Amino acid sequence: MKQLFLTTLSLVLMTGFLGTQTSCSRAATPAHYTGNQLMLGSGGGVTGFATTYYLLANGKLFSRSSRDTVFTFIGRQTRANTKRVFEMAEQDCAIKTTNFNHPGNTYKFAQWKKGEESYRVTWGDISETVPASYPRLYTSFMTMLPISETLH
């Protein structure tokens, strides 16, 4: 009887632990994250593919190309770097109030998101002048990525 009780208790605890692990890992990806996210990337050209890099407010970095179905965890940023980049997007770039959507054959973009609220700026059309703060944000963001990530 005691053995049956211990076995049952072990199974219940393991099931609870695995359920917690699954829900935590799901919440940790950009698809299920409810905090602030900053996404930057590029795309277009002959293939039309896009690559997006995601920085979550908790400092986790992910990538995903338009060909992928899952996010790839690529590292973690320091609290200071994360705060700096979010402040650049929110204050210097004023991403929530900038209305600029001028992609070209190839394009770059910056997007801020929290829950259902989302703002995106896209540039690449050579006949349109992108606000100067966006290329600086893009360059600053890309320097946070491991070199191996930016080569594909």
Side-chain angles (χ1 to χ4, degrees), residues 120-149:
R120 183 178 172 117
V121 170
T122 307
W123 66 96
D125 183 344
I126 58 172
S127 66
E128 298 291 333
T129 303
V130 62
S133 54
Y134 282 91
R136 284 194 302 265
L137 171 66
Y138 188 88
T139 300
S140 182
F141 187 94
M142 291 301 158
T143 62
M144 296 187 322
L145 303 176
I147 290 179
S148 62
E149 279 299 313

Side-chain angles (χ1 to χ4, degrees), residues 16-125:
F17 176 75
L18 290 174
T20 302
Q21 292 294 87
T22 303
S23 64
C24 287
S25 62
R26 283 187 65 212
T29 69
H32 301 285
Y33 189 72
T34 57
N36 291 357
Q37 296 183 48
L38 193 57
M39 293 88 72
L40 280 91
S42 61
V46 176
T47 64
F49 291 122
T51 301
T52 305
Y53 298 98
Y54 301 79
L55 176 62
L56 308 185
N58 65 10
K60 290 185 178 182
L61 272 168
F62 293 86
S63 68
R64 185 167 82 170
S65 80
S66 55
R67 298 173 275 196
D68 296 336
T69 58
V70 296
F71 295 94
T72 301
F73 176 73
I74 58 175
R76 181 182 276 287
Q77 281 301 302
T78 64
R79 182 174 291 156
N81 274 351
T82 301
K83 181 179 179 184
R84 178 184 55 81
V85 174
F86 272 95
E87 284 177 354
M88 282 183 78
E90 294 166 355
Q91 296 169 11
D92 300 348
C93 295
I95 196 164
K96 293 181 182 179
T97 58
T98 302
N99 185 10
F100 193 86
N101 183 25
H102 298 282
N105 179 45
T106 60
Y107 61 90
K108 293 180 180 175
F109 64 89
Q111 184 173 350
W112 180 97
K113 181 180 177 187
K114 182 175 184 181
E116 297 298 314
E117 185 180 6
S118 182
Y119 305 94
R120 183 178 172 117
V121 170
T122 307
W123 66 96
D125 183 344

